[in-house]
Short mmCIF file of all heavy atoms in Angstrom, two decimals:
data_model
loop_
_atom_site.label_atom_id
_atom_site.label_comp_id
_atom_site.label_asym_id
_atom_site.label_seq_id
_atom_site.Cartn_x
_atom_site.Cartn_y
_atom_site.Cartn_z
N VAL X 1 0.84 -1.20 0.00
CA VAL X 1 0.00 0.00 0.00
C VAL X 1 0.87 1.25 0.00
O VAL X 1 0.63 2.19 -0.77
CB VAL X 1 -0.94 0.00 1.21
CG1 VAL X 1 -1.63 1.36 1.37
CG2 VAL X 1 -2.00 -1.09 1.07
N ALA X 2 1.89 1.26 0.85
CA ALA X 2 2.79 2.43 0.92
C ALA X 2 3.53 2.63 -0.39
O ALA X 2 3.69 3.77 -0.85
CB ALA X 2 3.78 2.24 2.06
N ASP X 3 3.95 1.54 -1.01
CA ASP X 3 4.69 1.63 -2.27
C ASP X 3 3.83 2.25 -3.37
O ASP X 3 4.23 3.21 -4.03
CB ASP X 3 5.16 0.24 -2.67
CG ASP X 3 6.08 0.27 -3.89
OD1 ASP X 3 6.71 1.31 -4.13
OD2 ASP X 3 6.18 -0.75 -4.59
N TYR X 4 2.64 1.74 -3.55
CA TYR X 4 1.77 2.22 -4.63
C TYR X 4 1.19 3.60 -4.34
O TYR X 4 1.00 4.41 -5.25
CB TYR X 4 0.65 1.22 -4.89
CG TYR X 4 1.10 0.03 -5.70
CD1 TYR X 4 1.55 -1.13 -5.07
CD2 TYR X 4 1.12 0.06 -7.09
CE1 TYR X 4 2.00 -2.22 -5.80
CE2 TYR X 4 1.56 -1.03 -7.83
CZ TYR X 4 2.00 -2.17 -7.18
OH TYR X 4 2.45 -3.24 -7.90
N ALA X 5 0.94 3.88 -3.07
CA ALA X 5 0.34 5.17 -2.70
C ALA X 5 1.32 6.33 -2.86
O ALA X 5 0.90 7.48 -2.97
CB ALA X 5 -0.17 5.13 -1.27
N THR X 6 2.60 6.03 -2.88
CA THR X 6 3.60 7.12 -2.90
C THR X 6 4.40 7.21 -4.20
O THR X 6 5.30 8.03 -4.29
CB THR X 6 4.58 6.93 -1.73
OG1 THR X 6 5.23 5.65 -1.83
CG2 THR X 6 3.85 7.01 -0.39
N ARG X 7 4.08 6.40 -5.17
CA ARG X 7 4.88 6.41 -6.40
C ARG X 7 4.84 7.75 -7.13
O ARG X 7 5.80 8.16 -7.76
CB ARG X 7 4.42 5.28 -7.33
CG ARG X 7 4.88 3.91 -6.84
CD ARG X 7 4.60 2.82 -7.83
NE ARG X 7 5.14 1.54 -7.37
CZ ARG X 7 5.08 0.42 -8.06
NH1 ARG X 7 4.49 0.39 -9.24
NH2 ARG X 7 5.60 -0.69 -7.56
N LYS X 8 3.72 8.45 -7.06
CA LYS X 8 3.60 9.72 -7.75
C LYS X 8 3.57 10.90 -6.78
O LYS X 8 3.31 12.02 -7.17
CB LYS X 8 2.34 9.73 -8.62
CG LYS X 8 2.38 8.72 -9.76
CD LYS X 8 1.14 8.81 -10.63
CE LYS X 8 1.20 7.80 -11.78
NZ LYS X 8 -0.02 7.87 -12.65
N ARG X 9 3.81 10.61 -5.50
CA ARG X 9 3.78 11.67 -4.49
C ARG X 9 5.11 12.43 -4.48
O ARG X 9 6.18 11.84 -4.65
CB ARG X 9 3.50 11.09 -3.12
CG ARG X 9 3.45 12.13 -1.99
CD ARG X 9 2.98 11.52 -0.68
NE ARG X 9 1.61 11.04 -0.79
CZ ARG X 9 0.95 10.49 0.23
NH1 ARG X 9 1.54 10.34 1.40
NH2 ARG X 9 -0.29 10.08 0.06
N ARG X 10 5.03 13.73 -4.27
CA ARG X 10 6.23 14.55 -4.25
C ARG X 10 7.02 14.28 -2.97
O ARG X 10 6.47 14.25 -1.88
CB ARG X 10 5.86 16.04 -4.31
CG ARG X 10 7.06 16.98 -4.40
CD ARG X 10 6.60 18.40 -4.62
NE ARG X 10 5.91 18.91 -3.44
CZ ARG X 10 6.52 19.56 -2.45
NH1 ARG X 10 7.84 19.73 -2.48
NH2 ARG X 10 5.82 20.02 -1.43
N VAL X 11 8.33 14.08 -3.12
CA VAL X 11 9.20 13.84 -1.98
C VAL X 11 9.60 15.17 -1.37
O VAL X 11 10.15 16.04 -2.06
CB VAL X 11 10.47 13.05 -2.41
CG1 VAL X 11 11.45 12.95 -1.26
CG2 VAL X 11 10.08 11.66 -2.91
N THR X 12 9.34 15.33 -0.09
CA THR X 12 9.69 16.58 0.61
C THR X 12 10.95 16.44 1.44
O THR X 12 11.49 17.45 1.91
CB THR X 12 8.52 17.02 1.53
OG1 THR X 12 8.25 15.98 2.47
CG2 THR X 12 7.27 17.31 0.71
N ALA X 13 11.41 15.22 1.66
CA ALA X 13 12.63 14.98 2.43
C ALA X 13 13.46 13.96 1.68
O ALA X 13 13.30 12.75 1.87
CB ALA X 13 12.30 14.50 3.85
N ASP X 14 14.33 14.44 0.81
CA ASP X 14 15.15 13.54 0.01
C ASP X 14 16.29 12.94 0.84
O ASP X 14 16.71 11.82 0.61
CB ASP X 14 15.72 14.29 -1.19
CG ASP X 14 16.35 13.35 -2.20
OD1 ASP X 14 15.67 12.41 -2.64
OD2 ASP X 14 17.54 13.54 -2.53
N GLU X 15 16.79 13.71 1.79
CA GLU X 15 17.85 13.25 2.68
C GLU X 15 17.37 13.25 4.12
O GLU X 15 16.39 13.94 4.45
CB GLU X 15 19.09 14.15 2.56
CG GLU X 15 19.69 14.22 1.18
CD GLU X 15 20.88 15.16 1.12
OE1 GLU X 15 21.26 15.70 2.18
OE2 GLU X 15 21.39 15.37 0.02
N ILE X 16 18.06 12.53 4.98
CA ILE X 16 17.66 12.45 6.38
C ILE X 16 17.65 13.83 7.04
O ILE X 16 16.81 14.12 7.90
CB ILE X 16 18.58 11.47 7.15
CG1 ILE X 16 18.04 11.22 8.57
CG2 ILE X 16 20.01 11.97 7.17
CD1 ILE X 16 18.81 10.17 9.33
N ASP X 17 18.57 14.71 6.63
CA ASP X 17 18.64 16.06 7.21
C ASP X 17 17.46 16.94 6.80
O ASP X 17 17.26 18.00 7.39
CB ASP X 17 19.95 16.75 6.83
CG ASP X 17 21.15 16.10 7.50
OD1 ASP X 17 21.12 15.96 8.74
OD2 ASP X 17 22.10 15.73 6.79
N ASP X 18 16.71 16.51 5.79
CA ASP X 18 15.54 17.27 5.34
C ASP X 18 14.28 16.95 6.13
O ASP X 18 13.26 17.63 5.97
CB ASP X 18 15.27 17.00 3.85
CG ASP X 18 16.41 17.46 2.95
OD1 ASP X 18 17.05 18.47 3.27
OD2 ASP X 18 16.66 16.78 1.92
N LEU X 19 14.33 15.94 6.97
CA LEU X 19 13.14 15.54 7.72
C LEU X 19 12.69 16.64 8.68
O LEU X 19 13.51 17.26 9.38
CB LEU X 19 13.41 14.27 8.54
CG LEU X 19 13.56 12.96 7.76
CD1 LEU X 19 14.02 11.85 8.70
CD2 LEU X 19 12.25 12.56 7.09
N SER X 20 11.40 16.89 8.72
CA SER X 20 10.85 17.85 9.66
C SER X 20 10.56 17.15 10.98
O SER X 20 10.55 15.91 11.06
CB SER X 20 9.55 18.44 9.10
OG SER X 20 8.54 17.45 9.02
N TYR X 21 10.29 17.92 12.02
CA TYR X 21 9.92 17.32 13.30
C TYR X 21 8.62 16.53 13.16
O TYR X 21 8.45 15.48 13.78
CB TYR X 21 9.75 18.41 14.36
CG TYR X 21 11.05 19.07 14.78
CD1 TYR X 21 11.08 20.42 15.11
CD2 TYR X 21 12.23 18.34 14.86
CE1 TYR X 21 12.26 21.04 15.50
CE2 TYR X 21 13.42 18.94 15.25
CZ TYR X 21 13.44 20.30 15.57
OH TYR X 21 14.61 20.89 15.96
N LYS X 22 7.70 17.05 12.37
CA LYS X 22 6.42 16.38 12.17
C LYS X 22 6.63 15.02 11.51
O LYS X 22 5.99 14.02 11.90
CB LYS X 22 5.49 17.25 11.32
CG LYS X 22 4.10 16.66 11.11
CD LYS X 22 3.22 17.61 10.30
CE LYS X 22 1.84 17.01 10.09
NZ LYS X 22 0.98 17.93 9.28
N GLN X 23 7.51 14.97 10.51
CA GLN X 23 7.79 13.70 9.85
C GLN X 23 8.48 12.72 10.80
O GLN X 23 8.17 11.53 10.81
CB GLN X 23 8.65 13.93 8.61
CG GLN X 23 7.89 14.56 7.45
CD GLN X 23 8.81 14.95 6.31
OE1 GLN X 23 9.88 15.51 6.52
NE2 GLN X 23 8.40 14.64 5.08
N ALA X 24 9.41 13.23 11.62
CA ALA X 24 10.11 12.38 12.59
C ALA X 24 9.12 11.75 13.57
O ALA X 24 9.19 10.55 13.86
CB ALA X 24 11.16 13.20 13.34
N LEU X 25 8.20 12.56 14.08
CA LEU X 25 7.19 12.03 15.01
C LEU X 25 6.27 11.04 14.31
O LEU X 25 5.93 9.99 14.87
CB LEU X 25 6.38 13.19 15.59
CG LEU X 25 5.25 12.79 16.56
CD1 LEU X 25 5.81 12.05 17.76
CD2 LEU X 25 4.48 14.03 17.00
N GLY X 26 5.89 11.36 13.07
CA GLY X 26 5.01 10.46 12.32
C GLY X 26 5.65 9.11 12.08
O GLY X 26 5.01 8.06 12.24
N ILE X 27 6.93 9.11 11.72
CA ILE X 27 7.65 7.85 11.52
C ILE X 27 7.73 7.08 12.84
O ILE X 27 7.61 5.86 12.88
CB ILE X 27 9.05 8.11 10.95
CG1 ILE X 27 8.94 8.68 9.52
CG2 ILE X 27 9.89 6.83 10.93
CD1 ILE X 27 10.26 9.13 8.92
N GLY X 28 7.92 7.83 13.94
CA GLY X 28 7.94 7.20 15.25
C GLY X 28 6.62 6.53 15.60
O GLY X 28 6.60 5.46 16.21
N VAL X 29 5.51 7.15 15.19
CA VAL X 29 4.19 6.55 15.43
C VAL X 29 4.05 5.27 14.61
O VAL X 29 3.56 4.24 15.11
CB VAL X 29 3.08 7.55 15.08
CG1 VAL X 29 1.71 6.86 15.13
CG2 VAL X 29 3.09 8.73 16.06
N TYR X 30 4.46 5.31 13.35
CA TYR X 30 4.41 4.10 12.52
C TYR X 30 5.29 2.99 13.10
O TYR X 30 5.01 1.81 12.94
CB TYR X 30 4.85 4.42 11.09
CG TYR X 30 3.77 5.01 10.22
CD1 TYR X 30 3.83 6.34 9.80
CD2 TYR X 30 2.68 4.25 9.82
CE1 TYR X 30 2.83 6.89 9.00
CE2 TYR X 30 1.68 4.77 9.03
CZ TYR X 30 1.76 6.09 8.62
OH TYR X 30 0.76 6.63 7.83
N GLN X 31 6.36 3.37 13.78
CA GLN X 31 7.26 2.38 14.36
C GLN X 31 6.56 1.53 15.42
O GLN X 31 6.96 0.40 15.68
CB GLN X 31 8.47 3.08 14.98
CG GLN X 31 9.53 2.15 15.49
CD GLN X 31 10.83 2.85 15.83
OE1 GLN X 31 11.90 2.39 15.47
NE2 GLN X 31 10.75 3.96 16.53
N CYS X 32 5.50 2.05 16.00
CA CYS X 32 4.74 1.30 17.00
C CYS X 32 4.19 0.00 16.43
O CYS X 32 3.97 -0.98 17.16
CB CYS X 32 3.59 2.14 17.56
SG CYS X 32 4.13 3.56 18.55
N LEU X 33 3.93 -0.03 15.12
CA LEU X 33 3.43 -1.25 14.48
C LEU X 33 4.42 -2.40 14.64
O LEU X 33 4.03 -3.57 14.68
CB LEU X 33 3.17 -0.99 12.99
CG LEU X 33 2.06 0.00 12.65
CD1 LEU X 33 2.08 0.32 11.15
CD2 LEU X 33 0.69 -0.55 13.04
N ALA X 34 5.71 -2.06 14.74
CA ALA X 34 6.75 -3.08 14.82
C ALA X 34 6.82 -3.74 16.19
O ALA X 34 7.58 -4.70 16.37
CB ALA X 34 8.11 -2.46 14.48
N LEU X 35 6.04 -3.26 17.15
CA LEU X 35 5.99 -3.94 18.45
C LEU X 35 5.33 -5.31 18.31
O LEU X 35 5.46 -6.16 19.19
CB LEU X 35 5.23 -3.08 19.46
CG LEU X 35 5.90 -1.76 19.84
CD1 LEU X 35 4.99 -0.93 20.73
CD2 LEU X 35 7.24 -2.00 20.53
N TRP X 36 4.61 -5.50 17.23
CA TRP X 36 4.02 -6.80 16.90
C TRP X 36 5.09 -7.61 16.17
O TRP X 36 5.43 -7.31 15.03
CB TRP X 36 2.80 -6.59 16.02
CG TRP X 36 2.06 -7.83 15.62
CD1 TRP X 36 2.29 -9.11 16.04
CD2 TRP X 36 0.97 -7.91 14.71
NE1 TRP X 36 1.41 -9.98 15.45
CE2 TRP X 36 0.58 -9.26 14.62
CE3 TRP X 36 0.26 -6.96 13.96
CZ2 TRP X 36 -0.46 -9.70 13.81
CZ3 TRP X 36 -0.77 -7.39 13.16
CH2 TRP X 36 -1.13 -8.75 13.08
N PRO X 37 5.69 -8.61 16.80
CA PRO X 37 6.75 -9.39 16.16
C PRO X 37 6.30 -9.95 14.81
O PRO X 37 5.23 -10.53 14.68
CB PRO X 37 7.00 -10.53 17.16
CG PRO X 37 6.60 -9.96 18.48
CD PRO X 37 5.41 -9.10 18.17
N GLY X 38 7.13 -9.74 13.81
CA GLY X 38 6.80 -10.17 12.46
C GLY X 38 6.43 -9.03 11.56
O GLY X 38 6.47 -9.16 10.33
N PHE X 39 6.06 -7.88 12.14
CA PHE X 39 5.65 -6.75 11.31
C PHE X 39 6.86 -6.10 10.66
O PHE X 39 6.80 -5.66 9.53
CB PHE X 39 4.88 -5.72 12.15
CG PHE X 39 3.97 -4.85 11.33
CD1 PHE X 39 2.62 -5.15 11.20
CD2 PHE X 39 4.46 -3.73 10.66
CE1 PHE X 39 1.79 -4.36 10.43
CE2 PHE X 39 3.64 -2.94 9.88
CZ PHE X 39 2.29 -3.26 9.76
N SER X 40 7.96 -6.02 11.38
CA SER X 40 9.23 -5.45 10.92
C SER X 40 9.33 -3.97 11.23
O SER X 40 8.52 -3.16 10.77
CB SER X 40 9.45 -5.67 9.42
OG SER X 40 10.56 -4.91 8.96
N ARG X 41 10.37 -3.63 12.00
CA ARG X 41 10.58 -2.24 12.36
C ARG X 41 10.97 -1.41 11.15
O ARG X 41 10.44 -0.32 10.92
CB ARG X 41 11.66 -2.14 13.45
CG ARG X 41 11.68 -0.82 14.21
CD ARG X 41 12.89 -0.76 15.12
NE ARG X 41 14.10 -0.99 14.35
CZ ARG X 41 14.65 -0.07 13.59
NH1 ARG X 41 14.12 1.13 13.49
NH2 ARG X 41 15.73 -0.35 12.90
N SER X 42 11.91 -1.91 10.34
CA SER X 42 12.31 -1.15 9.16
C SER X 42 11.17 -1.11 8.14
O SER X 42 10.98 -0.10 7.45
CB SER X 42 13.57 -1.75 8.52
OG SER X 42 13.37 -3.10 8.14
N GLY X 43 10.39 -2.20 8.05
CA GLY X 43 9.24 -2.19 7.14
C GLY X 43 8.23 -1.15 7.53
O GLY X 43 7.69 -0.43 6.68
N ALA X 44 7.95 -1.04 8.84
CA ALA X 44 6.96 -0.08 9.33
C ALA X 44 7.46 1.35 9.19
O ALA X 44 6.72 2.25 8.73
CB ALA X 44 6.62 -0.38 10.78
N THR X 45 8.72 1.59 9.56
CA THR X 45 9.22 2.96 9.56
C THR X 45 9.51 3.49 8.15
O THR X 45 9.22 4.64 7.86
CB THR X 45 10.50 3.07 10.41
OG1 THR X 45 11.43 2.06 10.01
CG2 THR X 45 10.19 2.88 11.88
N ILE X 46 10.06 2.64 7.29
CA ILE X 46 10.33 3.10 5.93
C ILE X 46 9.03 3.31 5.17
O ILE X 46 8.87 4.30 4.45
CB ILE X 46 11.27 2.12 5.20
CG1 ILE X 46 12.63 2.07 5.88
CG2 ILE X 46 11.44 2.54 3.73
CD1 ILE X 46 13.59 1.04 5.31
N SER X 47 8.08 2.40 5.35
CA SER X 47 6.77 2.58 4.72
C SER X 47 6.10 3.85 5.25
O SER X 47 5.52 4.63 4.49
CB SER X 47 5.87 1.37 5.00
OG SER X 47 6.38 0.20 4.39
#
């Protein structure tokens, strides 16, 4: 879903230093999904 939903979306943070505080917090929220073993922390956060 993340792959297809973002293929035509404009990238606002091309590098890690471009991340906003809002994006950092949002990625942190998605990371909560990885507390379920098998979901994958990198899969959740990168998606």
Side-chain angles (χ1 to χ4, degrees):
V1 170
D3 187 24
Y4 282 92
T6 58
R7 286 188 175 182
K8 295 183 180 180
R9 180 172 296 181
R10 184 173 68 90
V11 173
T12 59
D14 191 55
E15 300 178 4
I16 188 174
D17 291 307
D18 297 326
L19 289 172
S20 67
Y21 290 145
K22 183 178 179 181
Q23 287 172 316
L25 178 60
I27 293 173
V29 172
Y30 278 111
Q31 186 168 226
C32 293
L33 295 170
L35 294 174
W36 181 6
F39 203 97
S40 170
R41 198 187 55 77
S42 59
T45 51
I46 296 175
S47 295

